[in-house]
Amino acid sequence: MTMPLQVRHLGRADYRETLEAMQRFTAERDGGTPDALWICEHDALYTQGVAGKADHVLAPAGIPVVATNRGGQVTFHGPGQVVAYPLIDLRRAGYFVKEYVYRIEEAVIRTLGHFGVTGHRVAGAPGIYVRLDDPFSHALLPQRPQHADAERAAAEPDFTGLGKIAALGIKVSRHCTYHGVALNVDMDLEPYSRINPCGYAGLSTVDLSTIGVQTTWDEAAAVLAGQLATRLAP
């Protein structure tokens, strides 16, 4: 019998305390522990992934930089961003990490679609992006993931004309996931200019507000939570 995903809305949550809680949940869970989805937002901070390079943090000023054990490089969290932490037993769910990432990205794309925005994947760069000149265009990107030759697959990601609206960083321990995805809704985006977002110098970062979508954090959080609960089902 499939156990329902338990969704918890944590509100404004301390990042370090939330990370410790995710680690504790993952370490203590067993085969009978229901999967969970935690939805929250954090005060302003930068988080650095396990492979993160210090020189991607350009000028943090008074914003804390916290080392984490997720994948990826440096990113920013702050008020006005919906952060979703799926705590999923992949072995029980019946899919592998690559599909897990795909399903999270699909949930973000469907969430953006709810607001009329077209989200895009970029080959070689996890996360979701939008066209800066026309976020509502349905035209396919030439740099989208495709069945490509090895030379193209090894090329640097192409962010031409794009802004990143959702960042993804995960950790899998004993087949169980934590960390997750952050969707920018209505933020102060200036702190992104003090880092190379996700390790890419000059990568533009946007939120729903700056591309003309008027919504609330609560509405965006509810839509994303619903999409994740649907997409991450076994």
Side-chain angles (χ1 to χ4, degrees):
M1 184 178 68
T2 301
M3 289 179 283
L5 185 70
Q6 297 186 344
V7 181
R8 292 180 56 198
H9 290 267
L10 307 181
R12 185 75 63 87
D14 179 83
Y15 179 81
R16 292 177 180 84
E17 291 179 1
T18 306
L19 175 57
E20 291 172 1
M22 285 191 291
Q23 291 173 319
R24 187 165 55 251
F25 178 96
T26 303
E28 294 175 355
R29 68 179 303 169
D30 58 29
T33 303
D35 291 333
L37 174 63
W38 297 355
I39 305 291
C40 64
E41 64 180 332
H42 297 303
D43 290 324
L45 81 157
Y46 299 112
T47 64
Q48 185 73 282
V50 288
K53 298 178 180 178
D55 57 2
H56 288 314
V57 182
L58 308 176
I63 299 178
V65 181
V66 179
T68 77
N69 62 343
R70 63 163 172 78
Q73 298 279 338
V74 65
T75 194
F76 173 69
H77 294 304
Q81 179 187 69
V82 177
V83 184
Y85 294 127
L87 305 168
I88 306 293
D89 183 336
L90 293 180
R91 184 160 48 189
R92 188 172 63 201
Y95 47 83
F96 296 103
V97 173
K98 186 175 181 180
E99 183 176 347
Y100 172 68
V101 170
Y102 183 91
R103 288 178 181 223
I104 290 179
E105 291 178 336
E106 189 64 22
V108 175
I109 289 171
R110 298 299 181 101
T111 298
L112 294 174
H114 174 87
F115 297 105
V117 175
T118 302
H120 300 274
R121 295 178 177 89
V122 171
I128 297 300
Y129 305 80
V130 297
R131 294 178 185 271
L132 294 173
D133 62 344
D134 188 359
F136 310 100
S137 169
H138 296 306
L140 296 176
L141 295 181
Q143 61 265 55
R144 69 191 185 279
Q146 302 175 67
H147 294 296
D149 57 40
E151 182 178 347
R152 173 164 184 169
E156 283 293 306
D158 179 5
F159 301 113
T160 303
L162 302 178
K164 191 165 193 174
I165 198 165
L168 179 70
I170 66 170
K171 171 70 175 178
V172 180
S173 174
R174 297 182 302 118
H175 308 284
C176 296
T177 70
Y178 59 103
H179 292 288
V181 63
L183 173 64
N184 300 342
V185 178
D186 187 2
M187 304 176 68
D188 175 7
L189 296 171
E190 188 277 334
Y192 283 106
S193 69
R194 306 188 211 169
I195 60 173
N196 294 332
C198 303
Y200 297 107
L203 175 60
S204 297
T205 307
V206 297
D207 61 10
L208 286 171
S209 176
T210 58
I211 60 175
V213 175
Q214 300 304 313
T215 186
T216 64
W217 186 95
D218 287 334
E219 182 183 13
V223 175
L224 180 59
Q227 286 292 338
L228 285 167
T230 298
R231 306 291 155 196
L232 295 176

